[in-house]
Amino acid sequence: MKDFDFPTATDERLARFQSLARHHYDACSAYRNIVDRWFGPSALSGRLEELPFLPAEIFKTHALKSVPEEEVFKVMKSSGTTSQLRSQIYLDRDTARAQSKALSSIVAGVLGKKRRPMLVIDCPAQIANRATFSARGAGILGFSTFATKKFFALNDDMSINHENIQAFLDCDADQSFLFGFTAIIWQEFLSKIDAHSFKEKAGAAVLLHGGGWKKLAAQNISSQTFGARVKERLPFVQSVHDYYGMVEQTGSIFLGCDQGYLHTNPYNHIICRDQNTLEPLPEGETGVLQVMSTLPTSYPGFSILTEDLGRVIGPGETMTAGVTHASTVFEVHGRMAQAEIRGCSDTYQGR
Amino acid sequence: MSNLDTYTSAFVDAFRVDANQVAALAYQSIEQWDSLGHMQLMSDLEERFDIEMDIDDITDFSSFSKGKEILGKYGVTFDA
């Protein structure tokens, strides 16, 4: 498919999603079978909530690709926390490039286009060995693109590295950022410091975090509580932004605002569905989240039913690549109990 | 050392390949030039040439030859 820049109007985005559905239907026979069986071909030209979606699980059990084998240049794998099987995502150069570009224009909404010093709230071991690379390591690397100098706030034994943090604070830059995984920041960093540990920082700093609320949701810690604790312990942090993303839709992450709510942007869309009927739910009601991305052309992952529960709050406004645009505001509550959705891929297994 | 020598040795050091192999390299064409290798190469080049690249240029830096073009924007020139 041809290169794509982001669509700003709603109908342009619908057209993009419809053309992606058609493209994968034509290019991937496994996807075509699923669509024919579960949705019927007429869904391909439906409204956003009528377009076909696949359960995230299916990328663990099936090799789904919409390009010839020789165009695949990278296979991304996730290690599922709840399953032994790993998702396999087939990337060609076009999709990989689109992912990088989307990520930088989304992140530019809070960091700007200029690279800045970065404090990684994790240990260097996360990116030391590519053979044992985890989702944490991949996240750190992905966001390193936005960094000039990189400092690690933790030692490999997860103790605080005061020298590195001081070096970051002393950095002569008017803009800087902190990055880490939500649960690591909470458990390994915030709990070990107090409001007097690190006070002064010249220039503005923002904190970006992501990587699942499962652990913190179990302790009843909301995104808002998290943000407030960050600002209390690190008084120089001006804004805190959560992100929500997954390996099946790398690049088109949903970025949170400083108030702790997630926003859609021109690269993605969110739909909340009833857990049992999978019918779309009205604003405010909790259900299972479906995520849509304008990016994937080499694999049919543009519309995925996650295993995460959440709710759509309502219309909002945010900024991507310097452009203010309308968004849909939502929140993620955590993982749903397994079973329910896995049924879909089990059904497909027989074919 | 000429700019081309400096540029070549950055690849040799980052990916541990022979100097006569670097001209054909592209992102993901060898195991060492993955996302981790990429960021190491980028920061090494910035240090050696004392430049600071834009985010888009780091993303577009897809091969040995494309990289020379990108560095040109920062005043690093390679005589033919």
Side-chain angles (χ1 to χ4, degrees), chain A residues 73-74 93 97 100-101 104 112-115 127-130 133 141 144-148 150, chain B residues 26-29 31-37 39-40 46 52-56 58-60 62:
Chain A
F73 96 121
K74 192 178 185 183
R93 288 182 186 278
R97 193 182 315 116
S100 307
K101 298 232 170 207
S104 58
K113 271 283 179 194
K114 227 173 106 59
R115 290 161 64 212
I127 59 164
N129 184 354
R130 49 166 63 84
F133 231 50
L141 267 184
S144 296
T145 313
F146 310 108
T148 43
K150 197 161 64 212
Chain B
Y27 180 54
Q28 300 284 357
S29 69
E31 202 184 341
Q32 304 93 295
W33 195 352
D34 58 5
S35 48
L36 179 60
M39 290 318 295
Q40 284 166 344
E46 288 189 324
E52 197 174 298
M53 286 188 266
D54 289 341
I55 292 165
D56 288 345
I58 290 181
T59 308
D60 289 340
S62 54

Side-chain angles (χ1 to χ4, degrees), chain B residues 19-76:
Chain B
N20 59 16
Q21 294 178 314
V22 296
L25 292 182
Y27 180 54
Q28 300 284 357
S29 69
I30 51 168
E31 202 184 341
Q32 304 93 295
W33 195 352
D34 58 5
S35 48
L36 179 60
H38 189 66
M39 290 318 295
Q40 284 166 344
L41 177 69
M42 293 303 109
S43 54
D44 191 31
L45 286 171
E46 288 189 324
E47 207 165 294
R48 289 180 197 231
F49 291 112
D50 193 22
I51 55 171
E52 197 174 298
M53 286 188 266
D54 289 341
I55 292 165
D56 288 345
D57 289 327
I58 290 181
T59 308
D60 289 340
F61 201 115
S62 54
S63 67
F64 182 86
S65 55
K66 178 76 184 174
K68 287 203 278 189
E69 206 179 288
I70 286 171
L71 291 190
K73 293 208 253 178
Y74 299 91
V76 179

